[in-house]
């Protein structure tokens, strides 16, 4: 059901130059050479964003792509490839998508706002999919790139489109409006998101309203646009309000009934009602937006009420967890459609920790495709991603099992049958993607496969990690390489889980502290060059067997390595030379460089891959003169070593704060450490470009009423100033929450309220004074997150963020999220 265009037609549509050497058709638009599933039908756009897409043309060509949109024709000879040359590749992508949209005369809903866009889009899909075949953005593909890729999915089978549009500054929405061309507009909640990109809130609203300039109908919150109603008075608008009875839908009563939210409203001078299966404020507002939209589109009040009552949670993220039998589990058990399956398979493809990859998939509903065609497409995606084992659940998959040619396939009528047979499948040392429609209740499968752990969890947001990586990449001078520090269990954040993301996103080097850490990464499928900061001579055999690269910082280490190389016939093995430029931790001092050069001269056993040093105070302005002195010593040493060797080496001295504050000291490579995890003393916490990737959370095990006269905890150190209540939570010093946080020093967030510890911290638990908070057993407790930052915890006990992160015990379960 994909739309196809001849390459000659595409050339005309985007007004490109260049020769067509082979006439062909394209149906798939590609912007990432790592995510190519159908190369023969793909058109690759060499976008220049954080990385120049032209650098990856050869990679795409190797996979079988033969059609490219470029700014210039590459030097590499590719005689059977078509290159369409344009002035701006992103503009060409947008123009092609806009042309494609014009071929369809169907209603299209365009959604924008600060918050709630994706949830409203997904809920409208749930509410309307029984009578419409809907095309929509996969996940939150709402950017200048995501929108054209989403609209390109539109085909003749669809009779409704729902697309969200996200912007971060002025002069962006007109481009998205030209692509989506909405006939119905929805404005969701206007909040603080992206305020920094606009002079004022009014400017942001005006920019967002550009999406609706050609809409036949606009649906919005009357309360938020009171000051802009004159701009909309000539339009067909449907308004809703929780304050004013002038709106078309006036919600005048809100109460909670049996855990659900009961809304009463006036519509067309009649009282109507709606039961929402959620209670949080964001969900209530999003549900009202959906309610208003259904009424505006002609649904009956009873139909709208009945459907909204059965809305389900929208899961927008994949969860990577440790599973039984040394498996890795990717949990996407709440939704299943062809677009999100492709995203999940791409994430599965990034995982290299196990050789075997397994997909557990349920029937896919509301795809818009005939079932035979749908499952042939699914089977092709699975084959292209080289899945080793396929487990299908549902009557449709069982009926079309002949589409799947993998030798290791299993089919079950329902989830219960799979669970009954689970032990017979012998799932062991493999990465398992669980992907299911909500009705199949695949969360039961996830629970059966995930390793049991106590309720204290460290959540790692891999999207934020990638965003932080790009934050620093954007600060690099052209051609500068990036080494990512993944020592100490990636600062407490994990091993292969973090390294896989870094490798997939093409960092140049990884660095670990010890040989064992490097071996663990190699065993997890990491192929990047890995530098070992503290190599042990007794482990040189393991180091070289795993192609790890040692740091040499003493004459003894160099002598031991040369002896080992002589005994094992190793020549020109890559090593890294550490210079002590003033930190005085490890490294060759300035006076030792001359004798070092004597040893390196004509030494055939080692090849100096890099020379580096470490800045002691790159984040501190008061030490800038000392930093300059370090840079001078380093440059002199590098010059001497290169003159001796007769070849160029990679030079690097900048750490995380050095990247930010010392762009002139980037040299050939920089080393990104804790900044990757969202902490940089040289970056203000208010800078939205850098965010913490980790959330440490636990739960309340018990709530007690305590009198002021009573004592709490070991040594009777704790007490309340007045009669109140305490909550015991499931975290203690064995989990990494140090005893220093006890007796009111440390604070945690309980249901949004910051509360202090009380009494001593125990090994496995501690107590909080929750007299000022509403709390019950089982409630979630935040130890640190984006609001209660690691830096604050470090200040509480007089330490540094590094120690807080690396102290989190490995018995605390890590869960990795990827949206």
């Amino acid at each position: 059901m994909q739309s196809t265009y001849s390459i000659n037609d595409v050339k005309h549509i985007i007004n490109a130059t260049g020769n067509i050497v082979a006439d062909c058709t394209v149906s798939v638009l590609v912007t990432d050479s790592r995510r190519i599933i159908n190369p023969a039908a793909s058109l690759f756009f060499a976008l220049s964003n954080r990385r120049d897409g032209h650098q990856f043309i050869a990679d795409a060509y190797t996979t079988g792509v033969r059609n490219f949109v470029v700014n210039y024709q590459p030097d590499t000879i590719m005689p059977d490839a078509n290159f369409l040359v344009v002035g701006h590749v992103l503009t060409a992508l947008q123009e092609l998508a806009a042309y494609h949209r014009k071929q369809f005369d169907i209603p299209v809903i365009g959604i924008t706002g600060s918050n709630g866009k994706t949830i409203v889009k997904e809920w409208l899909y749930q509410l309307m999919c029984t009578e419409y075949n809907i095309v929509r953005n996969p996940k939150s593909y709402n950017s200048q790139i995501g929108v054209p890729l989403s609209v390109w999915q539109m085909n003749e089978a669809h009779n409704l489109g729902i697309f969200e549009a996200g912007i971060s500054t002025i002069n962006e929405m007109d481009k998205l409006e030209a692509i989506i061309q909405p006939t119905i507009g929805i404005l969701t909640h206007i909040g603080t998101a992206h305020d920094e990109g606009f002079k004022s809130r009014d400017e942001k609203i005006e920019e967002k309203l550009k999406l609706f300039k050609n809409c036949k109908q606009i649906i919005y919150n009357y309360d938020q646009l009171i000051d802009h109603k004159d701009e909309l008075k000539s339009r067909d608008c449907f308004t809703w309000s929780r304050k004013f009875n002038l709106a078309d839908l006036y919600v005048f009563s809100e109460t909670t009934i049996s855990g659900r939210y009961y809304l009463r409203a006036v519509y067309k001078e009649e009282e109507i009602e709606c039961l929402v299966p959620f209670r949080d404020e964001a969900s209530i507002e999003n549900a009202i937006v959906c309610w208003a939209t259904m009424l505006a589109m002609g649904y009956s009040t009873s139909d709208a009420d009945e459907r909204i009552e059965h809305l389900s949670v929208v899961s927008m993220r994949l969860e990577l967890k440790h599973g039984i039998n040394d498996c890795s589990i990717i949990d996407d058990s709440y939704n299943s459609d062809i677009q999100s399956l492709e995203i999940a398979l791409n994430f599965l493809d990034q995982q290299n920790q196990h050789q075997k990859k397994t997909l557990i998939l349920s029937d896919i509903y509301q795809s818009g495709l005939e079932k035979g065609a749908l499952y042939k497409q699914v089977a092709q995606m699975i084959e292209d991603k080289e899945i080793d084992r396929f487990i299908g659940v549902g009557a449709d998959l069982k009926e079309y099992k002949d589409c799947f040619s993998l030798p290791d396939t299993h089919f079950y009528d329902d989830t219960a049958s799979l669970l009954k047979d689970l032990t017979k499948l012998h799932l062991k040392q493999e990465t398992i993607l669980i992907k299911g429609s909500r009705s199949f209740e695949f969360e039961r499968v996830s629970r059966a496969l995930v390793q049991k752990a106590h309720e204290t969890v460290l959540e790692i947001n891999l999207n934020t990690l990638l965003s932080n990586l790009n934050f620093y990449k954007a600060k690099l001078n052209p051609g500068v390489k990036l080494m990512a520090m993944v020592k100490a269990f990636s600062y407490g954040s994990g091993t292969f889980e973090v390294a896989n993301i870094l490798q997939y996103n093409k960092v140049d080097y990884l660095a670990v502290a010890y040989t064992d850490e490097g071996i663990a990464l190699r065993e997890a499928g990491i192929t990047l060059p890995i530098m070992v900061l503290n190599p042990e001579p007794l482990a040189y055999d393991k180091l070289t067997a795993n192609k790890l690269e040692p740091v040499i910082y003493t004459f003894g280490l160099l002598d031991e390595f040369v002896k080992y190389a002589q005994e094992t016939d190793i020549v020109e093995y890559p090593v890294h030379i550490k210079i002590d430029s003033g930190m005085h931790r490890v490294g060759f001092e300035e006076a030792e460089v001359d004798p070092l050069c004597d040893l390196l001269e004509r030494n055939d056993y080692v090849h100096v891959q890099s020379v580096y040093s470490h800045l002691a105070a790159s984040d501190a302005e008061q030490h800038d003169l000392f930093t300059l002195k370090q840079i001078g010593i380093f440059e002199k040493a590098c010059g001497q070593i290169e003159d001796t060797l007769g070849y160029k080496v990679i030079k690097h001295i900048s750490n995380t704060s050095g990247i930010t504050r010392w762009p002139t000291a980037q040299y050939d490579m920089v080393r990104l450490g804790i900044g990757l995890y969202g902490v940089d003393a040289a970056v203000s916490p208010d800078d939205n470009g850098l965010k913490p990737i980790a959330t440490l959370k636990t739960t309340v095990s018990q709530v007690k009423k305590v009198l002021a006269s009573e004592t709490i905890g070991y040594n009777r150190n704790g007490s309340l100033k007045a009669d109140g209540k305490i909550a015991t939570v499931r975290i203690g010093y064995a989990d990494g929450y140090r005893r220093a946080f006890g007796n009111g020093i440390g604070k945690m967030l309980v249901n949004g309220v910051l509360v202090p510890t009380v009494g001593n911290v125990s090994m496995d638990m501690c107590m909080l004074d929750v007299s000022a908070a509403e709390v019950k057993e089982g409630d979630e407790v935040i130890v640190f997150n984006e609001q209660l930052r690691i830096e604050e915890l470090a200040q509480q006990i007089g330490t540094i963020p590094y120690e807080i992160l690396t102290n989190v015990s490995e018995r605390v379960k890590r869960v990795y999220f990827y949206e």
Side-chain angles (χ1 to χ4, degrees):
M1 297 299 293
Q2 291 176 313
S3 299
T4 60
Y5 289 80
S6 75
I7 194 66
N8 279 295
D9 286 341
V10 172
K11 180 181 178 181
H12 175 72
I13 293 167
I14 64 176
N15 195 27
T17 59
N19 295 324
I20 304 296
V21 299
D23 192 18
C24 57
T25 59
V26 294
S27 57
V28 182
L29 307 186
V30 177
T31 62
D32 191 330
S33 61
R34 301 162 299 183
R35 299 181 178 184
I36 297 170
I37 290 180
N38 185 359
S42 293
L43 177 62
F44 181 85
F45 287 79
L47 297 172
S48 297
N49 195 10
R50 295 184 179 93
R51 284 180 178 257
D52 186 355
H54 295 77
Q55 297 175 359
F56 305 100
I57 288 174
D59 294 341
Y61 181 85
T62 301
T63 68
V65 177
R66 293 296 181 267
N67 299 289
F68 301 87
V69 178
V70 296
N71 288 135
Y72 55 87
Q73 191 146 341
D75 295 331
T76 306
I77 298 174
M78 302 176 195
D80 55 342
N82 297 317
F83 289 97
L84 305 184
V85 182
V86 296
H88 197 277
V89 175
L90 176 57
T91 300
L93 171 65
Q94 294 171 338
E95 288 174 348
L96 182 58
Y99 176 90
H100 181 65
R101 162 68 182 92
K102 289 178 181 177
Q103 310 313 303
F104 302 94
D105 185 19
I106 63 173
V108 171
I109 299 173
I111 304 173
T112 192
S114 300
N115 308 102
K117 297 183 292 294
T118 301
I119 298 299
V120 168
K121 178 199 69 189
E122 292 298 320
W123 277 355
L124 288 177
Y125 173 79
Q126 290 182 29
L127 294 166
M128 300 179 181
C129 64
T130 54
E131 54 273 340
Y132 289 105
N133 186 6
I134 301 172
V135 57
R136 70 197 196 281
N137 314 66
K139 300 283 185 178
S140 54
Y141 277 37
N142 60 22
S143 67
Q144 298 290 318
I145 299 171
V147 167
L149 294 178
S150 300
V151 170
W152 182 257
Q153 298 174 110
M154 191 179 289
N155 64 52
E156 293 175 357
H158 297 120
N159 54 16
L160 177 65
I162 307 178
F163 298 107
E164 56 175 298
I167 57 169
S168 56
T169 188
I170 59 172
N171 301 323
E172 289 186 341
M173 190 59 86
D174 280 331
K175 299 172 185 176
L176 300 185
E177 191 279 335
I179 301 167
I180 298 172
Q181 299 163 40
T183 58
I184 300 169
I186 298 175
L187 187 68
T188 63
H189 181 78
I190 297 295
T192 59
H194 299 298
D195 272 0
E196 65 278 4
F198 302 90
K199 295 178 182 177
S200 64
R201 183 67 58 84
D202 284 342
E203 184 181 62
K204 181 167 74 171
I205 292 173
E206 288 166 6
E207 181 69 20
K208 289 183 179 295
L209 290 178
K210 291 178 182 178
L211 180 62
F212 309 141
K213 62 184 178 183
N214 294 309
C215 285
K216 297 176 181 177
Q217 188 175 46
I218 304 172
I219 299 152
Y220 67 90
N221 181 351
Y222 183 89
D223 307 348
Q224 288 200 317
L225 293 191
I226 290 178
D227 295 335
H228 295 265
K229 61 180 184 295
D230 289 342
E231 302 169 37
L232 301 168
K233 64 183 179 182
S234 61
R235 320 287 287 278
D236 179 8
C237 297
F238 187 101
T239 60
W240 64 271
S241 175
R242 298 163 87 174
K243 298 178 180 178
F244 302 101
N245 59 11
L246 297 174
D248 296 289
L249 178 67
Y250 168 48
V251 180
F252 66 87
S253 175
E254 306 179 33
T255 56
T256 301
I257 299 178
S258 301
R260 299 191 173 197
Y261 213 73
Y262 178 56
L263 302 173
R264 294 166 63 197
V266 174
Y267 170 61
K268 292 185 176 180
E269 299 182 351
E270 292 185 4
E271 186 177 317
I272 62 173
E273 62 184 11
C274 181
L275 198 59
V276 180
F278 307 101
R279 290 188 297 173
D280 63 285
E281 175 57 29
S283 294
I284 299 306
E285 183 166 336
N286 292 333
I288 295 173
V289 172
C290 292
W291 192 15
T293 302
M294 294 189 75
L295 296 175
M297 292 181 65
Y299 285 83
S300 69
T301 57
S302 58
D303 199 8
D305 176 28
E306 182 181 355
R307 295 191 189 195
I308 289 173
E309 185 178 350
H310 293 93
L311 282 173
S312 57
V313 172
V314 176
S315 176
M316 295 309 299
R317 59 190 190 179
L318 305 169
E319 298 182 11
L320 176 61
K321 308 172 183 177
H322 294 292
I324 61 172
N325 303 326
D326 194 29
C327 289
S328 296
I329 310 299
I330 301 173
D331 189 350
D332 194 10
S333 56
Y334 292 105
N335 64 82
S336 184
D337 57 66
I338 199 72
Q339 291 83 22
S340 64
L341 174 61
E342 182 177 348
I343 293 169
L345 285 173
N346 281 326
F347 184 64
L348 174 61
D349 192 46
Q350 296 176 31
Q351 308 307 312
N352 301 291
Q353 58 269 28
H354 303 295
Q355 289 187 346
K356 190 170 186 178
K357 296 181 180 179
T358 295
L359 169 63
I360 302 176
L361 180 70
S362 77
D363 287 346
I364 296 175
Y365 299 135
Q366 290 103 25
S367 71
L369 298 174
E370 184 271 325
K371 290 180 182 178
L374 168 65
Y375 292 112
K376 283 181 182 177
Q377 186 175 341
V378 170
Q380 186 62 54
M381 293 169 68
I382 290 171
E383 184 177 335
D384 290 339
K385 288 300 182 183
E386 299 181 346
I387 302 301
D388 300 287
R389 188 202 315 239
F390 177 69
I391 301 169
V393 181
D396 292 347
L397 277 166
K398 197 167 186 180
E399 180 181 352
Y400 292 96
K401 64 181 181 181
D402 291 341
C403 295
F404 300 87
S405 58
L406 291 181
D408 192 356
T409 57
H410 308 265
F411 294 90
Y412 297 91
D413 291 317
D414 51 37
T415 304
S417 301
L418 168 60
L419 288 169
K420 186 177 179 181
D421 220 25
L422 206 55
T423 55
K424 298 178 183 178
L425 291 170
H426 302 294
L427 300 169
K428 184 178 181 181
Q429 293 180 335
E430 53 198 283
T431 306
I432 304 168
L433 169 60
I434 304 172
K435 182 76 176 163
S437 299
R438 179 168 294 277
S439 60
F440 282 84
E441 298 180 340
F442 268 14
E443 60 269 24
R444 296 162 60 196
V445 180
S446 177
R447 283 198 297 268
L449 293 178
V450 171
Q451 234 176 18
K452 301 297 185 291
H454 75 96
E455 294 182 44
T456 299
V457 176
L458 184 68
E459 294 182 348
I460 309 296
N461 189 321
L462 296 177
N463 296 89
T464 303
L465 182 140
L466 179 56
S467 176
N468 292 341
L469 174 64
N470 288 329
F471 173 82
Y472 287 100
K473 278 184 177 180
K475 296 181 180 297
L476 298 185
N477 300 322
V480 175
K481 298 178 183 294
L482 189 144
M483 174 184 283
M485 310 300 288
V486 292
K487 61 181 181 176
F489 197 51
S490 292
Y491 295 73
S493 298
T495 53
F496 60 79
E497 299 90 351
V498 171
N500 273 324
I501 286 287
L502 297 174
Q503 177 168 274
Y504 188 74
N505 286 280
K506 299 186 181 299
V507 302
D508 301 285
Y509 255 93
L510 298 179
V512 297
Y514 296 103
T515 301
D516 287 347
E517 293 177 328
I519 292 172
L521 293 179
R522 287 286 184 248
E523 291 175 346
I526 301 302
T527 58
L528 284 172
I530 299 176
M531 184 175 82
V532 180
L533 297 167
N534 295 292
E536 306 94 332
L538 291 177
Y540 279 158
D541 56 339
K542 295 179 181 178
L543 181 143
T544 55
N546 287 276
K547 297 182 179 179
L548 306 174
E549 302 175 9
V551 169
I552 303 297
Y553 52 84
T554 69
F555 291 110
L557 280 174
L558 179 58
D559 185 53
E560 290 278 2
F561 191 82
V562 169
K563 286 180 181 178
Y564 170 76
Q566 290 172 333
E567 293 169 358
T568 53
D569 295 324
I570 290 175
V571 293
E572 294 191 349
Y573 195 86
V575 301
H576 302 262
I577 301 297
K578 174 72 181 290
I579 301 298
D580 182 358
S581 59
M583 187 168 178
H584 298 320
R585 186 168 58 181
V586 295
F588 293 100
E589 295 188 15
E590 190 174 9
E592 296 176 317
V593 174
D594 282 338
L596 171 64
C597 288
D598 291 339
L599 292 174
L600 292 176
E601 190 173 15
R602 295 183 297 277
N603 189 322
D604 296 331
Y605 298 102
V606 298
H607 175 87
V608 178
Q609 195 75 2
S610 85
V611 176
Y612 80 101
S613 189
H614 194 76
L615 298 176
S618 58
D619 62 316
E621 185 177 356
Q622 66 268 32
H623 298 304
D624 281 354
L625 288 177
F626 183 80
T627 299
L628 285 170
K629 180 181 177 182
Q630 283 194 273
I631 291 170
I633 293 171
F634 173 65
E635 286 186 348
K636 181 181 176 183
C638 288
Q640 289 178 258
I641 292 171
E642 283 188 329
D643 287 345
T644 298
L645 295 173
Y647 57 82
K648 293 292 184 182
V649 301
I650 299 172
K651 297 178 282 294
H652 50 112
I653 192 172
S654 279
N655 50 9
T656 290
S657 296
I659 299 170
T660 307
R661 295 196 66 242
W662 294 91
T664 56
Q666 290 181 7
Y667 298 106
D668 304 305
M669 185 160 69
V670 296
R671 299 187 306 277
L672 179 57
I674 199 167
L676 188 62
Y677 310 97
V679 179
D680 185 347
V683 176
S684 167
D686 297 327
D687 189 332
N688 291 320
L690 191 66
K691 295 181 180 179
I693 71 167
T695 297
L696 180 59
K697 58 174 62 174
T698 186
T699 57
V700 173
S701 58
Q702 191 175 17
V703 179
K704 289 179 178 288
K705 292 182 179 179
V706 177
L707 300 176
S709 59
E710 297 177 310
T711 58
I712 300 160
Y714 280 121
N715 303 118
R716 303 186 65 199
N717 277 351
S719 62
L720 302 181
K721 293 181 179 179
D723 295 351
K725 57 185 179 181
I726 62 169
T728 302
V729 297
R730 296 178 171 95
I731 190 170
Y733 56 77
D735 301 296
Y737 195 70
R738 290 174 46 186
R739 293 185 77 246
F741 284 112
N743 300 300
I745 301 297
K747 295 176 177 60
M748 300 184 194
L749 281 170
V750 181
N751 294 326
V753 179
L754 194 65
V755 299
T757 58
V758 57
N760 289 341
V761 174
S762 304
M763 181 181 291
D764 308 301
M765 59 188 69
C766 62
M767 284 70 77
L768 304 174
D769 179 358
V770 293
S771 303
E774 291 293 326
V775 58
K776 63 182 183 302
E777 183 178 326
D779 279 358
E780 184 177 87
V781 179
I782 301 296
V783 182
F784 60 71
N785 65 358
E786 190 174 344
Q787 286 74 46
L788 181 55
R789 294 175 63 103
I790 294 171
E791 294 94 326
E792 294 180 47
L793 271 72
Q795 289 175 1
Q796 289 167 6
I797 61 171
T799 186
I800 57 175
Y802 292 81
E803 187 175 1
I804 301 297
L805 262 181
T806 57
N807 260 8
V808 179
S809 167
E810 290 195 35
R811 85 169 185 178
V812 173
K813 182 172 70 173
R814 269 71 172 172
V815 177
Y816 301 85
F817 293 114
Y818 182 81
E819 294 185 6

